[in-house]
Amino acid sequence: EEEEEEEAVDRSSWAVTALLRPVVIRLKYHFMTNKETNRIDKPEWLFHFTATQIRDHLEVLNHLLNQLEDEQKMKDMFIDGVVETVRGKLRSDLSDIIGDAEMLASIIDSCVEFDRKLRTEFNYDEDKFGVLEVFASVETVAGQRPLDRWIDLDKKYALIQLDSLFSAHAFDSIQSVKSFVDLLQIITDRYLLLPDLAVRNLFVSKIQYLLLQRFENELRAQFLVYQNLTKDRWPKYCNVSNGALFVIDVLKSWCDNLEFVELYAFNQMKVAGSPVSQFEGSIWDQYIYNLQQFLDETISFLSDHITKQFKKSFKAYRRLDMADPETDSEDPPTEVSPLLWHSLTELQESLSLAQLSLQPSLLHSLWTKVTQELNRHLYHNFILSHKFHRRGTRQLQLDVQGLLQIFKPFTSKPHAYFPETFESVVLLTSSYRPSEFGPDQLLELGLQRFDIEEAVTVLRRIVKSP
């Protein structure tokens, strides 16, 4: 049976060779002689003819091979012969086209489309070079290296596309950020047709890294432009942050793609010469980190803007005398202090603007940062710096409830984000005095943030009635 199989393979190889010979002759006749079809400025003629020949002859091979176990191998053998002939044609023309940027770009684009067709339509082995091998060469032709010229052309194209996005400050629109990612993907799709990892790595390092750095620089420039936050600038500022997040998420999703895992391993082996298993990471790590740093800066800026605005208008409220004994004879307060109302209104407006424009994860980062700072400010700069009579504690309770209400759209438990402030109100409105407070009282009031010493410190802010 093995001998019969070997004979079948030999017959198939002979059939492939027999089919290939006339195709090669036609290719050379039409595109490597003085025929009118031999036009270096019309690469689409060459590749249309070649693709048609492959398609037609693969149908014949399908019939001849009759489900042979090595059927795809035989088909690849046929395509190998055709591809090598086309490569010979391109090499013979290379010295005439390498100095003409427009013509070279057109031919490379045609080669890219043809090699993609080899993979997608004809299932050609992805580990083999197609016709692009000619332009991935580092051998000097007419004083220039084809690969260098190709990378320079793709870089020039990419930067022109990027500049068109920059020209209108377009990265304040998420659609333009998606266009930037599409640009990165276009470049990836081109170099993934090249099986050589070293060549792929050059496209990443010389083009995609440059684009990512330029993208970050532009985001930072727009960040400065929109820092003077007015109501109409909030959406644009937030979209700068959204854009950074979008690209971070895309790069993270690419980290586990096999082609990028292979590139990372290639780089680690090249630099460290150690087993790949010792390394964890991705070729995108540095740019994810850089953009994340920028993103953190933008959210911190928004948080600072909101809290500074609150503190500025809060100064009037801080002058309230919460320990005036004469007010204890008045009716207890039933609403938020008018002196705090302006602060709360501004806070609510800013958070509403953020809610309309920021992506959910960024919005969460923002409002939690705001609560942390407001909680710290209220506790240290108001509660611990004031004395309270009974009416004052009731007013504080209402005011804190008004503050917590603003964060209800973001969380069902806003008090959990104001632990010191909330537990201070619980203590100040309780009936306990410092001298009688212990572990049982801590448990009874459900206090989790304060220990006994801290709770007693808060209780001492209460002024005894005369």
Side-chain angles (χ1 to χ4, degrees):
E1 290 183 3
E2 290 182 3
E3 291 181 359
E4 291 179 0
E5 182 67 23
E6 289 178 2
E7 289 179 6
V9 171
D10 289 340
R11 288 197 301 271
S12 298
S13 298
W14 177 86
V16 168
T17 303
L19 281 174
L20 179 61
R21 187 178 296 115
V23 174
V24 171
I25 291 173
R26 291 191 194 98
L27 274 170
K28 289 182 177 179
Y29 175 73
H30 287 293
F31 300 102
M32 299 178 73
T33 65
N34 292 328
K35 292 286 292 180
E36 293 181 357
T37 48
N38 185 16
R39 295 270 300 272
I40 60 175
D41 62 332
K42 296 289 184 179
E44 63 273 17
W45 292 1
L46 168 65
F47 292 114
H48 175 74
F49 179 86
T50 304
T52 300
Q53 292 294 309
I54 293 174
R55 188 180 298 110
D56 292 345
H57 285 77
L58 285 185
E59 291 181 5
V60 177
L61 277 175
N62 283 334
H63 176 72
L64 291 176
L65 295 177
N66 195 24
Q67 303 302 316
L68 189 68
E69 186 175 341
D70 288 333
E71 179 181 347
Q72 187 58 48
K73 181 179 179 181
M74 295 297 107
K75 291 179 180 178
D76 281 355
M77 183 187 300
F78 176 79
I79 297 174
D80 286 344
V82 177
V83 167
E84 183 52 45
T85 304
V86 176
R87 285 199 293 245
K89 149 70 177 172
L90 294 172
R91 289 191 190 99
S92 67
D93 292 340
L94 197 52
S95 59
D96 295 326
I97 62 177
I98 198 167
D100 187 326
E102 185 176 348
M103 185 178 296
L104 182 60
S106 174
I107 291 175
I108 290 175
D109 286 345
S110 294
C111 288
V112 166
E113 290 306 310
F114 179 75
D115 277 9
R116 186 172 290 125
K117 187 186 295 289
L118 289 180
R119 267 74 173 177
T120 58
E121 182 177 345
F122 305 131
N123 297 317
Y124 191 54
D125 190 344
E126 293 183 359
D127 292 331
K128 292 182 178 182
F129 268 109
V131 297
L132 281 170
E133 180 186 35
V134 175
F135 302 99
S137 171
V138 294
E139 294 182 6
T140 302
V141 177
Q144 301 181 79
R145 302 200 309 177
L147 180 57
D148 292 342
R149 289 286 287 145
W150 181 5
I151 291 174
D152 286 344
L153 287 171
D154 276 17
K155 182 195 299 183
K156 181 179 179 181
Y157 164 81
L159 291 176
I160 289 173
Q161 297 302 309
L162 195 62
D163 286 343
S164 70
L165 295 177
F166 288 167
S167 62
H169 296 286
F171 289 146
D172 59 22
S173 161
I174 196 65
Q175 186 56 50
S176 296
V177 177
K178 291 179 180 178
S179 297
F180 170 74
V181 171
D182 289 343
L183 180 59
L184 292 177
Q185 186 64 59
I186 287 170
I187 296 164
T188 298
D189 291 342
R190 288 166 74 86
Y191 67 68
L192 286 185
L193 295 167
L194 307 170
D196 190 325
L197 291 176
V199 176
R200 290 182 181 184
N201 194 55
L202 288 173
F203 281 87
V204 174
S205 61
K206 291 180 177 291
I207 303 179
Q208 290 180 310
Y209 284 173
L210 174 63
L211 294 179
L212 285 165
Q213 185 59 61
R214 291 278 299 273
F215 174 75
E216 181 194 344
N217 292 344
E218 180 63 18
L219 288 185
R220 289 188 176 278
Q222 292 190 34
F223 170 61
L224 295 175
V225 168
Y226 297 130
Q227 274 191 357
N228 182 19
L229 272 177
T230 54
K231 188 174 181 178
D232 62 314
R233 285 188 169 189
W234 266 87
K236 293 183 177 181
Y237 181 96
C238 290
N239 274 335
V240 171
S241 301
N242 293 337
L245 177 65
F246 183 83
V247 175
I248 289 170
D249 288 344
V250 169
L251 294 179
K252 285 181 177 179
S253 72
W254 287 355
C255 287
D256 293 330
N257 289 3
L258 178 60
E259 58 266 24
F260 299 131
V261 172
E262 290 176 337
L263 272 179
Y264 179 76
F266 170 81
N267 281 314
Q268 293 304 309
M269 291 292 288
K270 183 176 64 175
V271 174
S274 300
V276 176
S277 59
Q278 295 184 10
F279 302 101
E280 291 184 3
S282 165
I283 61 172
W284 309 115
D285 284 351
Q286 185 60 54
Y287 295 91
I288 292 173
Y289 174 81
N290 292 348
L291 287 172
Q292 187 62 57
Q293 289 289 104
F294 167 73
L295 190 56
D296 292 344
E297 290 173 26
T298 66
I299 298 303
S300 293
F301 174 82
L302 282 179
S303 174
D304 290 345
H305 172 81
I306 293 172
T307 54
K308 285 178 181 177
Q309 190 179 51
F310 180 88
K311 292 174 186 177
K312 183 178 179 181
S313 58
F314 187 73
K315 290 179 180 178
Y317 180 79
R318 285 186 64 188
R319 291 193 288 268
L320 272 177
D321 185 359
M322 295 287 194
D324 185 355
E326 295 184 4
T327 62
D328 270 359
S329 61
E330 301 175 5
D331 292 334
T334 58
E335 58 185 22
V336 172
S337 169
L339 291 176
L340 186 62
W341 189 255
H342 180 61
S343 300
L344 297 183
T345 302
E346 282 189 330
L347 176 62
Q348 186 171 35
E349 182 179 345
S350 294
L351 290 173
S352 295
L353 288 170
Q355 188 175 22
L356 288 172
S357 303
L358 275 180
Q359 290 295 310
S361 62
L362 298 183
L363 179 64
H364 183 271
S365 296
L366 174 61
W367 70 257
T368 52
K369 276 181 176 289
V370 170
T371 58
Q372 289 169 8
E373 179 56 25
L374 294 186
N375 174 64
R376 187 201 65 78
H377 186 71
L378 288 169
Y379 178 63
H380 290 284
N381 296 77
F382 188 78
I383 293 173
L384 294 185
S385 65
H386 279 67
K387 292 288 188 177
F388 297 88
H389 260 296
R390 185 171 306 179
R391 193 175 191 282
T393 60
R394 173 57 182 162
Q395 184 64 64
L396 177 64
Q397 183 182 40
L398 289 170
D399 295 341
V400 170
Q401 287 174 353
L403 174 64
L404 298 182
Q405 191 65 31
I406 290 174
F407 292 89
K408 276 291 183 71
F410 313 117
T411 174
S412 60
K413 298 180 179 179
H415 62 275
Y417 294 86
F418 290 85
E420 289 86 358
T421 299
F422 179 74
E423 294 195 358
S424 293
V425 170
V426 172
L427 284 165
L428 293 172
T429 55
S430 73
S431 58
Y432 292 112
R433 297 188 176 186
S435 60
E436 58 190 24
F437 201 85
D440 291 342
Q441 287 71 35
L442 201 67
L443 185 62
E444 179 188 337
L445 294 177
L447 304 185
Q448 298 178 347
R449 173 62 186 86
F450 286 153
D451 57 24
I452 294 175
E453 182 179 351
E454 290 170 322
V456 168
T457 298
V458 172
L459 286 172
R460 287 176 177 156
R461 309 312 301 168
I462 298 176
V463 177
K464 295 179 182 179
S465 297

